[in-house]
Amino acid sequence: MAAAQRLSVVDEIFLRTHRGLGTPIALQGLWRTADRVDPELLRQVHAALRVGPLGRRVIRPSVPGARRSWRGNTRAYRLEFTDGTIATRDLLEWADEQGANLDPEYGPGWRLSTAALDDGGSIVSLTCSHALADGRALVLAVDDALGGPCLVTSSAQAMRSPDTGSGMRSTLSTDGAISTPATNSAAPEANYSDTIRMVAGTPGRSSTSEPMTPTALEATSAAPEANRCDGNDQPASTAGEADRSGARVNASLRRETPGPASDWSDARRQWSIVVRGTFRALRHGIPERPGRSIREHGLSTRERGSITGRGVYSVPTLSVVLRCPAADWEAAAVAQRGTANSLFIALIAKMLWASGFPGETIDASLPVDTRDEPRVDNDLAMTEITIERSDTPAAIREKARIAYERRMSSPGGMPEELLQVIPDRWAYALSRGAGERDILCSNIGTLPDSLLTLGPHRCTGVAARAIHPGLTADRLPRTRLSGYLCRIADNYTLAVVSLAPAHIDTPETLRTLAHETATALGLPITLW
């Protein structure tokens, strides 16, 4: 029997957000087309996604301490067609609504939807739980559904018996699609949190002390392979380069679900790592618990007052999508002795200061893609830099270059596997706020050319970002602004998501802030 693929620590962090343990987050790819998209074409894409790498769900182990595993699952929400047309200015508000009721354990973890725009085009959204994929993985999954060469489905995948049962009370159509939305009901907490290790600090590298494991609030960056940089401050490989290389995907996602024997073996392995690792760490003394990276850190009086005593009220998130010719973006970076990546980081930081952020420094979290081959999973680590008001893109470039050589890790050398064998709520308490900083800058990299069109339909814009469905004040992260940069063809696209309602309270405020800050940096942007 082939070995089953187990969930990683990062997978588990995002899975817990579906149970109210952490900031809710989903990843989203958006396509704007010049004309109306053929519904039959989208049905074909939907069918391909159902049997692709996103078509899986979480299975709990039978033995405490063993890690949860993935099982192939063809159940999916129906392809959603919004009635009528929506105004172009409202398309991001529409897109925000597409993240509801995603749950890779008790329901479908992804949704494909579309709407007609009043400019004669269409908007297409693919939204998935962050437990299923990070930003680059979402790109790879879409490329696979569109017939691109990034992923190659093995015969083992094609021959697996699909799981069409998920324990949900919902109507299943003859094509396996969910016709009524599943409720995101909280399940009883498992006795243990069962996960595989996270990709953290590489042995021999310096690491910064963190809560038990890093988590990203974004799509992952196109950062260096493992610890390798290109000599600047940004990745040596991207999704687009993986596409051009024709690299094969690890096709283990559809392997058989583990039985009791393999669960016992996995539990023994996990407990062995935890006991030995904890003993080694405690020989150096009990590690200090790091300062909690939660929203109250650095809150203004107005922000703190808006949260106190109102922990369950809904917090709207605001978004803007910017587009800039790649030649202009890179020319502006060179003129300031930076790179496209350091200019991106500088832009997000300056936007936060311009919004009224009072601190003299801003801490930025930078996701790092750790793949050695294109896989649809959460294959990422986190690093960080501290930005001062006087920092130029050149200074940020040097700081980022150094930061990419290290990773955030657990305090005192405690094994990350500890989070795999303790109850979910304990694991959440230990890892809460890990990886969160004042801003998040996720450089997704170059997208494959397959995303430039949907069949015969030319795409006028492609963007990737994270959204936060059902966010409430008591689950606000420390992060106030998140940026997601990608390049496709001759354009850079930047999606900015605001989690600072006290300072950025309307979409118009965010758009003005983005335009003025980008102009000051020499970037001729246009808004979606």
Side-chain angles (χ1 to χ4, degrees):
M1 179 187 297
Q5 176 141 338
R6 304 277 180 170
L7 271 68
S8 72
V9 168
V10 176
D11 294 339
E12 283 282 345
I13 286 175
F14 294 127
L15 184 64
R16 284 193 289 271
T17 67
H18 293 286
R19 312 289 168 256
L21 302 175
T23 302
I25 183 169
L27 298 183
Q28 187 174 66
L30 297 172
W31 292 262
R32 287 187 63 178
T33 60
D35 55 357
R36 298 283 192 258
V37 176
D38 179 12
E40 183 56 34
L41 171 66
L42 290 179
R43 292 187 182 98
Q44 294 173 15
V45 174
H46 184 269
L49 289 168
R50 281 178 50 208
V51 297
L54 293 182
R56 64 189 194 275
R57 72 181 182 97
V58 174
I59 301 298
R60 296 196 176 207
S62 59
V63 178
R67 296 165 291 178
R68 291 178 172 95
S69 59
W70 292 110
R71 174 187 290 174
N73 178 32
T74 61
R75 291 173 71 97
Y77 287 121
R78 284 185 180 275
L79 172 61
E80 288 195 13
F81 295 90
T82 299
D83 294 334
T85 62
I86 63 174
T88 301
R89 66 177 180 275
D90 297 329
L91 71 86
L92 292 178
E93 182 179 348
W94 170 87
D96 287 339
E97 298 171 355
Q98 307 312 307
N101 299 318
L102 299 179
D103 190 329
E105 186 171 13
Y106 295 99
W110 61 275
R111 175 183 287 111
L112 185 68
S113 47
T114 185
L117 298 176
D118 61 0
D119 64 357
S122 295
I123 179 73
V124 178
S125 163
L126 173 61
T127 311
C128 79
S129 164
H130 208 325
L132 285 171
D134 59 27
R136 186 174 174 191
L138 184 63
V139 171
L140 294 171
V142 173
D143 181 73
D144 179 51
L146 296 177
C150 278
L151 302 182
V152 179
T153 304
S154 71
S155 58
Q157 284 179 296
M159 293 175 64
R160 102 265 189 268
S161 298
D163 169 29
T164 57
S166 64
M168 299 190 320
R169 295 182 176 179
S170 52
T171 303
L172 185 67
S173 68
T174 56
D175 65 354
I178 305 288
S179 60
T180 57
T183 58
N184 192 12
S185 57
E189 183 180 329
N191 289 332
Y192 296 92
S193 174
D194 316 311
T195 58
I196 196 170
R197 72 170 181 85
M198 63 143 295
V199 180
T202 301
R205 302 278 183 177
S206 61
S207 298
T208 54
S209 182
E210 255 306 287
M212 285 303 297
T213 182
T215 179
L217 301 179
E218 60 17 36
T220 179
S221 79
E225 284 184 21
N227 288 341
R228 179 170 63 84
C229 290
D230 65 352
N232 298 317
D233 65 315
Q234 52 193 349
S237 64
T238 65
E241 289 168 350
D243 176 50
R244 290 189 291 273
S245 71
R248 289 177 175 264
V249 68
N250 182 337
S252 63
L253 295 176
R254 305 306 178 84
R255 292 172 180 168
E256 296 182 43
T257 302
S262 60
D263 279 350
W264 277 111
S265 176
D266 192 68
R268 284 194 297 270
R269 172 188 176 276
Q270 293 300 99
W271 281 112
S272 175
I273 293 172
V274 169
V275 171
R276 293 179 182 179
T278 302
F279 178 75
R280 283 194 299 269
L282 292 179
R283 284 190 302 178
H284 302 288
I286 299 176
E288 292 184 10
R289 179 174 175 79
R292 296 173 68 189
S293 175
I294 57 176
R295 184 65 171 185
E296 284 74 17
H297 175 81
L299 280 178
S300 67
T301 301
R302 180 167 59 166
E303 284 180 312
R304 189 176 294 109
S306 68
I307 291 175
T308 302
R310 302 174 63 191
V312 296
Y313 83 97
S314 177
V315 175
T317 58
L318 304 174
S319 298
V320 64
V321 176
L322 321 173
R323 185 167 55 186
C324 178
D328 293 330
W329 188 290
E330 290 166 359
V334 170
Q336 299 172 72
R337 301 176 62 189
T339 62
N341 190 53
S342 67
L343 182 60
F344 158 50
I345 299 169
L347 173 59
I348 301 301
K350 290 182 181 298
M351 282 184 63
L352 183 59
W353 270 313
S355 73
F357 181 76
E360 289 303 311
T361 62
I362 286 176
D363 294 330
S365 61
L366 309 176
V368 179
D369 183 20
T370 53
R371 287 173 178 79
D372 54 8
E373 62 179 346
R375 293 185 297 267
V376 177
D377 56 11
N378 284 296
D379 212 333
L380 60 94
M382 298 291 289
T383 190
E384 65 175 323
I385 62 173
T386 297
I387 304 169
E388 299 176 359
R389 286 183 183 267
S390 60
D391 279 349
T392 64
I396 293 173
R397 171 183 179 175
E398 180 61 19
K399 289 182 177 182
R401 183 188 65 80
I402 296 171
Y404 285 134
E405 294 296 319
R406 68 179 188 271
R407 303 289 185 269
M408 297 178 188
S409 68
S410 59
M414 296 291 286
E416 283 84 5
E417 288 84 356
L418 178 61
L419 297 179
Q420 305 165 3
V421 298
I422 61 178
D424 282 352
R425 292 188 181 278
W426 295 7
Y428 167 64
L430 286 175
S431 61
R432 182 182 181 186
E436 294 177 7
R437 297 297 183 265
D438 301 313
I439 60 174
L440 174 86
C441 300
S442 179
N443 187 341
I444 300 170
T446 302
L447 306 184
D449 290 343
S450 62
L451 306 189
L452 285 170
T453 59
L454 286 174
H457 308 285
R458 179 177 61 87
C459 292
T460 59
V462 180
R465 63 176 187 156
I467 60 175
H468 304 278
L471 179 64
T472 54
D474 59 328
R475 298 167 72 186
L476 273 170
R478 172 180 168 180
T479 307
R480 290 165 170 79
L481 275 182
S482 300
Y484 307 92
L485 181 70
C486 61
R487 176 175 177 171
I488 186 164
D490 296 327
N491 289 288
Y492 278 104
T493 302
L494 173 60
V496 181
V497 178
S498 170
L499 293 162
H503 294 291
I504 305 173
D505 55 358
T506 66
E508 292 73 21
T509 300
L510 183 59
R511 284 193 287 266
T512 300
L513 192 64
H515 189 272
E516 291 178 350
T517 307
T519 300
L521 287 170
L523 294 172
I525 63 166
T526 56
L527 300 174
W528 265 30

